[in-house]
Amino acid sequence: PDQPSSLAQLLSPNISGGILSKALTGTLGLRPEQLFFSLARISPEVVRSALANSGLFGEYLLGHQFALRMDIKQLLRSLLRSDSLHKSDEISLDSAIDEIESRQLEGLHAQQNREVSYHFVMPFLDAEPIEIHFERGQRSASKGEDDWVINLHTNSADLGEVWSKTTIKSSSELEMIFWATSESSSEMARQGKAQLETALTDFGLKLTKFSVLNAPRPVIDPALTGPGQVVDVST
């Protein structure tokens, strides 16, 4: 959240409804709903498809001789080969591809450390895109399974800017912190707590902590949060 996502900006419905949709239905012969989703019909399967379509796994599939499916990264590369692009469009596409490849490197580095990091953007036809980051720390024999952390971020005309951090423990207990710049969005989140608890129970999860803050999510330099660091709490 400390740096706007080039990919999220490019996949906004205001943009994707133009250049990207034309490419899908024109040269690529695809339907927009094959790579873009509907927030009104969100489900675990839809999120799984968005991760598969994110562009994070293309090189892995090629290297292991699996069938390669069209994904966001391939779509952007196909667009770059178009002769009708304006210079500003080329810069936006290049920046979005660079962002995907940066996330691929992050994921590879995490894998080498026996961690997990999947950072991608989920595009919608009926809403602003959502940045999603699944991460899990290194497993160890002493502490067992590490917590899963899911970070979400979006910025829409209806909700304003919204962040959430969800921590899922090996005991299936779940903690969530929700930040929103809009007071109405904060209140909506508070009112939805009971419904959220019910939905999580259906998946065998128990919500043990739920905090809602009417404020932007604070940005903390990762270099300051490691072992041996201190936090200045003076006011």
Side-chain angles (χ1 to χ4, degrees):
D2 57 326
Q3 178 177 318
S5 166
S6 299
L7 184 59
Q9 292 175 0
L10 185 65
L11 296 179
S12 170
N14 295 329
I15 307 260
S16 59
I19 182 173
L20 297 184
S21 289
K22 288 178 182 177
L24 283 171
T25 57
T27 57
L28 298 178
L30 298 173
R31 299 187 309 276
E33 56 268 25
Q34 289 180 258
L35 288 177
F36 291 78
F37 304 93
S38 171
L39 188 60
R41 296 195 293 271
I42 194 74
S43 69
E45 290 73 22
V46 167
V47 177
R48 187 180 298 114
S49 293
L51 177 58
N53 293 345
S54 65
L56 295 178
F57 309 107
E59 285 78 4
Y60 173 84
L61 295 174
L62 281 174
H64 289 76
Q65 299 182 339
F66 291 123
L68 190 61
R69 59 190 293 174
M70 175 60 69
D71 58 31
I72 294 295
K73 185 178 175 182
Q74 289 186 71
L75 169 62
L76 301 183
R77 287 200 178 280
S78 296
L79 284 174
L80 271 180
R81 293 192 288 269
S82 172
D83 297 329
S84 59
L85 285 179
H86 297 294
K87 185 63 177 179
S88 59
D89 292 331
E90 291 181 7
I91 293 174
S92 297
L93 290 169
D94 274 326
S95 180
I97 292 171
D98 286 345
E99 182 177 321
I100 294 175
E101 293 182 340
S102 174
R103 301 310 187 192
Q104 287 180 288
L105 290 174
E106 287 178 11
L108 181 60
H109 179 72
Q111 183 182 17
Q112 291 171 343
N113 292 329
R114 296 192 300 171
E115 301 171 349
V116 176
S117 177
Y118 295 138
H119 198 154
F120 62 103
V121 174
M122 186 170 181
F124 295 97
L125 295 167
D126 55 353
E128 290 298 319
I130 297 178
E131 295 176 62
I132 303 176
H133 187 197
F134 293 101
E135 58 181 334
R136 190 197 65 209
Q138 186 180 117
R139 296 182 180 182
S140 67
S142 58
K143 65 177 183 179
E145 183 80 17
D146 206 48
D147 296 342
W148 280 92
V149 175
I150 305 171
N151 292 299
L152 303 179
H153 173 243
T154 191
N155 191 359
S156 74
D158 295 330
L159 298 176
E161 200 161 11
V162 172
W163 301 262
S164 72
K165 177 182 178 181
T166 303
T167 303
I168 305 175
K169 302 182 177 298
S170 57
S171 60
S172 296
E173 294 182 338
L174 185 147
E175 299 177 355
M176 178 180 285
I177 307 175
F178 183 92
W179 296 265
T181 54
S182 165
E183 185 175 350
S184 60
S185 294
S186 302
E187 184 58 31
M188 190 186 306
R190 293 187 185 98
Q191 293 177 358
K193 179 183 177 182
Q195 184 179 355
L196 175 63
E197 287 179 312
T198 300
L200 291 172
T201 300
D202 293 340
F203 288 96
L205 298 169
K206 180 180 179 182
L207 184 65
T208 58
K209 179 180 179 181
F210 184 72
S211 303
V212 178
L213 302 174
N214 180 205
R217 178 173 177 170
V219 177
I220 302 175
D221 187 341
L224 301 178
T225 60
Q229 301 292 338
V230 297
V231 178
D232 183 0
V233 295
S234 61
T235 59

